[in-house]
Amino acid sequence: MQYETVIGLEIHAQLLTDSKMFCGCSTKFGSEPNTQTCPICIGMPGVLPVMNKKAIEYVIKTGLAVNCKIASYSRFARKNYFYPDLPKGYQISQYELPICEHGYVEIADNGSTKKIMLTRIHLEEDAGKNIHEGAGNYSLVDLNRAGTPLMEIVSEPDIRSPKEAVEFVKKLRTILRYISVCDGNMEQGSLRCDANVSVRPYGQEEFGVKTEIKNMNSFKFIEKALEYEIKRQIKVLKDGGKIIQETRLWNSERGITESMRSKEEAHDYRYFPEPDLVPVDVDSGWLEQIRTHLMAPTFSFVRSSVHLEEPDLPDIKRQRFICRYGLPEYDADLLISERAMAEWFEQAVKLGADPKIVSNWMMGELTKLLNEENKQIEECMLKPEHLVGLLELINKGIISGKIAKTVFEEMYKTGKNADTIVKEKGLVQISDEADIEKAVDEVLEKNHEEVERFKAGDEKLMGFFVGQIMKATKGKANPKIVNELLKKKLGKE
Amino acid sequence: MKIDHIAMLARLELTNEEKEIFSKQLSSIIEYIDKLNELDTTSIDPTAHVLPIKNIFRDDKLKPSLPKDKALQNAPGRTDDFYRVPKIIE
C-alpha cells in the first residue's frame, strides 16, 4: 500500500524586542544564568504583567506579511500546567481569540507555487530553559528566557513532504527576517519548529494518528527527522501496528526520533481568560500605521523616500528584480535572501548603475570581503553610492577593470570615495598613447628573445607582453591601447 | 474519578477519606455556581475583564533585573547560578 504524508507545522519565533513580554527584563541571549529576571517573570505573588506594545505590533506586522486577517479584538489566556521552566504554573498565551487568523505562505512547487494555509498566529511568553545533562538526579533551570515574547505560527496540515516542510520554514524565516520581527536563529532557538506528522493510505480522506516531533533545530534536521518519522510510521502500520499519539524528540546523533518519556501527565490546560491583562483592541488607525511601517525600507543607505503600494516582501522584490531589472533568477534569489542586500542593490540601481553589473560586484567582491570578516552588508562602510562612483570611473575609462578591484577593496576598508582613492594612489589609467608607447618599447627591448619567438609563431606570448607592460605601468595602462600598440609593433596589424 | 484528576492536576495526594469529603464539597460548590446558569444573558456581551478598559501597554524599555542572588533566594535548591529541581526527564 502507498502512503501519503500529512504534516502541519508550529513555528515559534522569539520577537526582536529589547524587553520581555510583560516586564522590563532584557531578552538578550547568552547572558549569565538567572541574571535577567524580576518578580514579574519569575512569578512572585502580587505582581502585575503589562503588555509590551512593540510585541503586539510585531505580531500584527507578521500577520499582514503573511496575508492574515487581523483581529480587531483579542485577548490573552492562561494555559495551566506544571513544569520547572514555568515559574507561575501557567503560561500567558492566547486561546480562542488570537491576534491573527487565516493567512498563507506561498512556496515554490515544481515551477509553480503552492499555498500553505496558516490557521493562526498568536502571542505568548516563552518559558525558561531546563538543563538535564550533567546535573545528576536533578534538572537545572535558567529563567532568563522566561517571559520573552514568543509568536506561535500554526499551519494547516497542508504540507505533503519533508522537502515542502523545509521550503515552508525557509520562506517564513526569510519573511520574519525581512520585516525585522525575529532574527531566525535556529541554533540559538529564536526560531523553533515542531511538526505534527501522520501518514494515511493514498485516497483516504481521514487523517492518520499523528505524532508531534520536537527538537529539530536546523533545516537539515527538519528534513531528516520528518523523513525518519514517516518511514517509522509506515513501517509500524505495515507491520500491523498502530501509531500512538505522542511527542517524540529528534535525536540528531542517532538520526532517529524517540518517544519523549516525560513525567508530565496527560495535558489538561484549563485555559481561561487572563484576569491580569485587559483586551487588545486594534483599530484601523493603528493597523494602517503598522502597515505603513511594513512598506518602508529599513536601512539607512536607502535615502530617497519611497512610496509603495504594497508591503515590499521577498516575493514581490524577487519578481521586480527579474522583470524590471532583468536579473537572472539565480541573482534575484541570492539578493533577496537578505533584506539589507536587496535594499542595497536597489539603491545602487536607483543611483543609475547597471543592475547586472551591480549584482556581479555584490555577489563577487563584496560577498567575498564580507565573508572574510564575517560581517553583514549593513555593517560595512561601503555604501551603494561608492560602487556607483566606481562604475562611473570605469565607464569613463579613467580606471581599468583590474584597478577597479583594488579601488573597491580600498573603499570597503576606508569608506572613501572611488574618486579620492584613485587620486590619492595615482591609479588613473594611462590612456596617453605616447606614454604607453614608451612602456611598450621598453618591454620589447628588454625581451628580445620572446619577440623573436613571437615572430616565429608563438602567439601565446602576447599575454606575456601585456603582463609585462601592465607591470611596468603598475596596472594603469589602458589595456585597449596596449593591445593595439603591441599588435602594431609586432607586425600583426 | 474526577477528584483524582483534579488532585493530580494540582499535584495533591489525597487519602480516601479526603477524596470523599472534597468530592462532596466540590459538588456542592459547582451546584451553587450553577445557579448563574439560570440567568438570561442572551443580550449581554461576553466579558473578558471586569473593568471597561483595553490596550494598557508599556513601551519596549529595559528596567533593571534582580541581582541573581536575590532572584535565587527562594529557590528550593541551587547549583551554581541555577535553580535545582528534581529531574524531569527520564
Side-chain angles (χ1 to χ4, degrees), chain A residues 319-359:
Chain A
Q319 189 70 12
R320 185 165 68 242
F321 284 14
I322 293 169
C323 297
R324 194 191 301 169
Y325 304 137
L327 288 186
E329 285 188 16
Y330 178 82
D331 294 41
D333 282 332
L334 258 170
L335 291 176
I336 60 145
S337 64
E338 296 288 337
R339 181 170 184 164
M341 287 277 269
E343 288 186 8
W344 203 102
F345 166 80
E346 266 199 301
Q347 181 64 13
V349 172
K350 225 171 271 158
L351 293 171
D354 177 273
K356 180 59 184 153
I357 291 173
V358 173
S359 167

Side-chain angles (χ1 to χ4, degrees), chain A residues 385-430:
Chain A
E385 51 268 34
H386 288 116
L387 176 60
V388 175
L390 178 73
L391 298 180
E392 273 168 19
L393 294 184
I394 302 174
N395 287 343
K396 286 183 190 154
I398 294 171
I399 55 170
S400 64
K402 206 172 160 221
I403 289 286
K405 280 198 182 177
T406 316
V407 178
F408 189 84
E409 233 181 287
E410 198 60 26
M411 292 196 297
Y412 178 87
K413 278 188 207 143
T414 62
K416 287 181 184 169
N417 288 330
D419 246 354
T420 318
I421 293 166
V422 168
K423 270 180 210 143
E424 276 178 6
K425 303 221 157 192
L427 296 171
V428 176
Q429 182 165 265
I430 305 168

